[in-house]
């Protein structure tokens, strides 16, 4: 790159959403600092741009000094840090609330031009979910320290590396049925690159401050999403509703196993906090600002899911070839 290019610091820039944000910023010509706890594990982001354009830097958002060092001299800051399961020092409150507030406070102190904070639909200070409460506290801390911030609240995010469809498709490959908690809960899945595009747009253009709830064009129940997935992976499976009491007991046992192992074993199956969250719909609130207010149109699931779930079909990438051969034989 030649000449001056603005710098954008992306906290959590090597994560699921963060890597898409980083790629879009690089393509737009920005220099990107990917602020992560372990830069040596984020070296894969370097090829997103030309030599020297995208660089991982060390930062721990529980610490003022390293957070400030990652922000210093930047033109804009995007916070994509997020966890769904607590483990070790990675807890909801320090990361999603205190860490978010720390980033916003230092961004304000360093006169950063734009701040974008990625939160989540369901953020609620009165929720029984620790995750939802921490997300709400993070939003409050961000707006208090940096009133002009743009806050993005996506619904469940899908895409090639997602932990939603990939997880259940993997289960469907070996099991004749899928156990689902709260199958009637509604979701509005949003494509990860749409979330990234919204974040980058808030950096590049004069987007009005405030909260934007991001959901895709389809609102479906948990059960309907699984049925859609079965069609994509071409497998006939049954969705079994797990009784709430049984789900709570299972989650309690799994959480206990994690604690008993001193977090060596992480509960990535079902936590008590997730059982709470699954009891509430995860859709864009009526009247909330969203993609249309950003001048954007959300991508549908049907245009994306087949592109990465094909590997879970009975014959993987050879499924179409097999079907074609069968058609020839029948003629």
């Amino acid at each position: 790159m030649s000449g001056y290019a603005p710098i954008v610091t992306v906290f959590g820039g090597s994560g699921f959403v963060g890597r898409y944000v980083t790629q879009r910023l690089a393509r737009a010509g920005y220099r990107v600092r990917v602020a992560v706890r372990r830069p040596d594990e984020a070296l894969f982001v370097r090829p997103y741009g030309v030599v020297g354009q995208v660089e991982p830097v060390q930062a721990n958002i529980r610490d003022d000094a390293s957070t400030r060092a990652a922000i210093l001299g930047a033109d804009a800051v995007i916070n994509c840090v997020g966890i769904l399961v607590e483990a070790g020092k990675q807890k909801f409150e320090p990361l999603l609330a205190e860490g978010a507030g720390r980033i916003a406070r230092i961004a304000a102190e360093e006169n950063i031009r734009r701040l974008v904070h990625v939160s989540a639909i369901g953020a609620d200070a009165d929720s029984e979910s620790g995750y939802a409460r921490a997300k709400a506290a993070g939003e409050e801390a961000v707006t208090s320290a940096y009133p002009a911030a743009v806050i993005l609240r996506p619904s469940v995010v899908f895409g090639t590396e997602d932990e939603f469809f990939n997880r259940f498709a993997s289960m469907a490959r070996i099991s004749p049925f899928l156990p689902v908690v709260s199958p009637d809960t509604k979701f509005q899945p949003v494509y990860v690159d749409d979330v990234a595009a919204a974040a980058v747009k808030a950096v590049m253009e004069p987007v009005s401050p405030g909260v934007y709830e991001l959901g895709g064009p389809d609102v479906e129940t948990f059960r309907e999403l699984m049925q859609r997935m079965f069609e994509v992976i071409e497998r006939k499976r049954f969705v079994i509703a797990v009784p709430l009491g049984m789900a709570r007991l299972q989650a309690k046992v799994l959480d206990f196993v994690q604690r008993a192992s001193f977090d060596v074993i992480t509960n990535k199956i079902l936590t008590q906090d997730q059982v709470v969250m699954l009891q509430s719909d995860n859709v864009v609130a009526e009247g909330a600002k969203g993609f249309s207010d950003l001048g954007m149109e959300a991508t549908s699931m049907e245009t994306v899911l087949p592109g990465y779930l094909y590997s879970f079909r009975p014959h993987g990438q050879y499924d179409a070839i097999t079907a074609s051969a069968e058609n020839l034989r029948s003629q």
Side-chain angles (χ1 to χ4, degrees), residues 151-173:
I151 296 175
L152 304 179
R153 287 182 179 174
S155 181
V156 60
V157 183
F158 70 92
T160 304
E161 308 88 352
D162 73 46
E163 296 183 3
F164 186 74
F165 286 112
N166 278 302
R167 173 185 175 187
F168 288 104
S170 180
M171 293 170 61
R173 187 158 53 183

Side-chain angles (χ1 to χ4, degrees), residues 134-265:
K135 279 292 189 181
E139 289 185 6
E140 183 178 357
V142 167
T143 54
S144 176
Y146 198 112
V150 171
I151 296 175
L152 304 179
R153 287 182 179 174
S155 181
V156 60
V157 183
F158 70 92
T160 304
E161 308 88 352
D162 73 46
E163 296 183 3
F164 186 74
F165 286 112
N166 278 302
R167 173 185 175 187
F168 288 104
S170 180
M171 293 170 61
R173 187 158 53 183
I174 59 175
S175 174
F177 62 88
L178 280 186
V180 171
V181 180
S182 301
D184 294 324
T185 296
K186 294 179 181 178
F187 293 90
Q188 195 169 351
V190 59
Y191 182 38
V192 61
D193 198 42
D194 288 346
V195 179
V200 173
K201 186 163 190 172
V203 166
M204 297 179 63
E205 301 179 17
V207 172
S208 299
V211 176
Y212 294 80
E213 297 203 346
L214 306 182
D218 306 300
V219 175
E220 296 182 359
T221 66
F222 202 163
R223 185 190 304 275
E224 289 169 340
L225 289 176
M226 294 300 96
Q227 296 294 346
R228 176 191 286 270
M229 182 195 71
F230 295 153
E231 292 177 7
V232 172
I233 65 175
E234 300 177 358
R235 294 179 185 271
K236 294 181 179 180
R237 298 292 186 263
F238 299 98
V239 173
I240 305 297
V242 179
L244 196 56
M246 184 180 295
R248 286 170 175 160
L249 178 59
Q250 180 186 13
K252 188 174 183 178
V253 171
L254 292 169
D255 282 347
F256 172 77
V257 170
Q258 177 174 322
R259 290 194 304 273
S261 70
F262 298 98
D263 292 323
V264 173
I265 300 173

Side-chain angles (χ1 to χ4, degrees), residues 1-7 29-31 50-53:
M1 297 179 68
S2 60
Y4 170 78
I7 298 172
Y30 288 91
R31 289 181 290 166
V50 299
V51 176
Q53 185 185 5

